[in-house]
Amino acid sequence: MPAYKETKMKYGYFDDNAKEYVITSPKTPLPWINYLGTDGFFSLVSNTCGGYSFYKDAKLLRLTRYRYNNVPADNNGKYYYINDGKDIWNPGWQPSKTPLDLYECRHGIGYSRFTGKKNGLKAEVLAFVPVGDNCEINKVTLTNESEEIKAFKLFSYVEWCLWNADDDMKNFQRLLSCGEVEIKGSAIYHKTEYRERRAHYAFFSVNEKIDGFDTIRDDFLGAYNNNDRPDAVVNGKAGNTVASGWSPIASHQINISLKPGESKTLIFVLGYIENPENEKWESYGVINKKPAEAMQARYTTEADTEKAFAALKNYWDELLAKYHVESKDEKVNRMVNIWNQYQCMVTFNMSRSASYYESGIGRGMGFRDSCQDLLGFVHLIPDRARERIIDIASTQFEDGRAYHQYQPLTKKGNSDIGSGFNDDPLWLIAGTSAYVRETGDTSILMEKVPFDNDESKATPLMDHLKRSFDFTATHKGPHGLPLIGRADWNDCLNLNCFSEHPGESFQTFGPGEGPVAESVFIGGMFVKYGKEYADLCELIGDKAEAARALEEVEKMNKTVLSEGWDGEWFVRAYDAYSHKVGSKECEEGQIYIEPQGFCVMAGIGLAEGKAVKALDSVKERLDTEYGVMILQPAYTKYHLELGEVSSYPPGYKENAGIFCHNNPWVSIAETVVGRGDRAFEIYKKTCPAYVEDISEIHRTEPYVYSQMVAGRDAKFHGEAKNSWLTGTAAWTFVNISQYILGICPTHKGLSVDPCVPADFGDFTVVRKFRGATYNISVENKGVQKGVKELVVDGRKIEGTVIPFEEGKSEYNVKVIMG
Ligand code: BGC
Ligand code: NOJ
């Protein structure tokens, strides 16, 4: 009998000291994954050792194969099989699924640890990608916990992907003839296509003499076999096969004998190597392995590996220490201090490319996605945010519009999807403004940046922002609101597309542009980010431009209040016939969340009482116990004039799902009107740590946000989908850190203006900002918002902003709310 229990609602627990989520049952409702890697080399790893690795681009440089949409679920990974003469088992349970005496998976920050026990043998696998190296290390430790000598055989296993993951799934007629490997000592090299246009290869090595190997998949597994009980493992004998074509793998066999109490550690390395064109070969047909051998040599001893692991831990500890809260709510502490920041880094790295829901072969980096991702990431590594801003801005067109996506390897705009998503340009202002507020580095605004990657057309970044601003200011419809184009933030609101046939892309079909369809949401964005643009103009001393911008903003503000107000809430849009979308006049889709959140965040309707009214309508019409739905009532039929939004079954995705990304907008909006209780209530509803107790319903990982939770109209209300890669990560971090806890970077310095539930209690925050450490303690005797007193290093300060002083390294700040 397995010792682990199939608990009903929980499948593990948080270990906050270790910064880990500990999974105690392998049969989680869905694979619960983690990401390894901080820069170039990345691996996804599930709680049962499934997953895959790639270098920089999950489509073009995929190292190992993964089978999406397969049965059994989560098929393929980096597996270690043990044949102890009695059983064949894996420390991470899959793929043999042999019941274990103990199973544990600890997903940590940039690493995962697996422990399996069977028949007196303990097997531990520690998987991580070292900082600054292009490899994944698997430290495998085997311990004999029995009273007898244990002799057993260990087999490793990875299946190579033939590099281009898209081709790998389609182009069998070519690729099944191309696979090539080399074996040298204990390292297996994958060199498919290296003979022609590639100068890179991968390897899988172990720091121990091996007793055999396999590289022909179908020989290792046996014809018609799954990977649960490979022939070689069952027979206890590798075939020493050398692949030629078909599906190459890398498998090592190591025979081990351990005395009672004895342990043995093996270090496996999965590495990626690029050689200069003129140093590709060692001799005719033999790849140059020098850099690979140097990489292997870096991790030969346990001490080397421990050192690399300690460096990784240290790297993360330093990053996470940039924002640290201690409140009486341990779930807030855990999400803010650990998981939310971690997810922000992952979304920044991956954009929407590679997850268990994004196959890594589809879209590249999103223009708007990346701009938003950096809102939650910029405090971690501002220099990388800077670089990203320049990359993104380099894909902008001269007239201010933007490619909707770009490819991470080439950094070129993606012509398949093109442009025409009219919210895109404004997100560039949002990202840049966040960067400058965080760092105070105005030099970025002067940085010369090309248009559409054409260096001859480079102009300062500030000029790009101006064009973003002007694009919206000059593309307005009959009501004076911004034209929507193909869609705005809501990719599925396709008001100019009119797609009637399956298979057509809702986004790129049809004219895409039109002179009539308008977005109130973009109007809200324009007011919010138009003000931030004006602030940047002020900052560089361009008062005239700042004043001009604010005039445009004021014009839009008025227009939204008159043309975008429906009586109880903000209208969502006007369609191509100038009919309202998201209005009480509509039969379905009467109220949408986005304009309520964004317009109130922008401050529209505060003075007129419309802001509060809009938020009350959200509560009344869109709230559920699992979060706030995107719209109501759900569309029950396809509306040609609205597009993809009405294509989803009611309750899913943009059609009345709880689209988590915009829940923080409403929560922030609540802080703008000063309602901390409600802001926090919204925060909690989608917060993974709070829904851990209902994992059976929620189903995705309880330590990260998912893009969507099924809405009230859906059959599986409360069930989440598309975990990990979502703008929810950045926006919730902005919400909790800057608005609820209220520590917000401004151009002049950090502002402290919390908006919390009345009973939230006192809390402290340590915030690293522009090279200084801020030790902030907030006293609260029961109010939701308001700073009665701000004391910085013993001096009382007016307002909420701690003036930034160049060269000062520490600020001790006391805030009394009231
Ligand atoms: C999805 C959106 C996505 C869009 C563009 C739609 O099918 O629902 O979430 O942003 O496609 O890829
Ligand atoms: C997911 C996309 O990545 C994001 O850009 C978009 O805003 C949302 N879906 C809403 O449609």
Side-chain angles (χ1 to χ4, degrees), residues 170-189:
K170 297 196 301 225
N171 197 0
F172 306 119
Q173 61 78 26
R174 167 181 161 80
L175 288 176
L176 293 181
S177 291
C178 291
E180 287 191 291
V181 297
E182 277 184 37
I183 299 104
K184 183 177 174 194
S186 299
I188 296 166
Y189 294 83

Side-chain angles (χ1 to χ4, degrees), residues 80 136-138 140 154 156 204-206 252 266-269:
Y80 298 93
E136 178 185 325
I137 294 175
N138 285 182
V140 180
L154 179 88
S156 67
F204 193 38
S205 67
V206 58
H252 309 91
L266 301 167
I267 299 157
F268 290 86
V269 180

Side-chain angles (χ1 to χ4, degrees), residues 351-352 358 363 366-370 372 404-405 423-424 427 487-493 507 594 630 644 653-654 659 661-662 665 707 722 725-727:
S351 189
R352 306 294 169 268
E358 306 274 9
R363 35 190 177 156
F367 189 99
R368 83 156 81 87
D369 293 331
S370 294
Q372 289 175 88
H404 193 48
Q405 291 162 10
D423 62 320
D424 275 332
W427 290 115
D488 58 21
W489 172 87
N490 190 332
D491 277 311
C492 302
L493 201 55
Q507 277 79 32
E594 304 99 306
I630 193 169
E644 185 170 5
K653 296 277 287 181
E654 281 88 340
F659 214 91
H661 185 134
N662 45 41
W665 297 347
Q707 183 204 56
N722 305 357
L725 302 186
T726 159

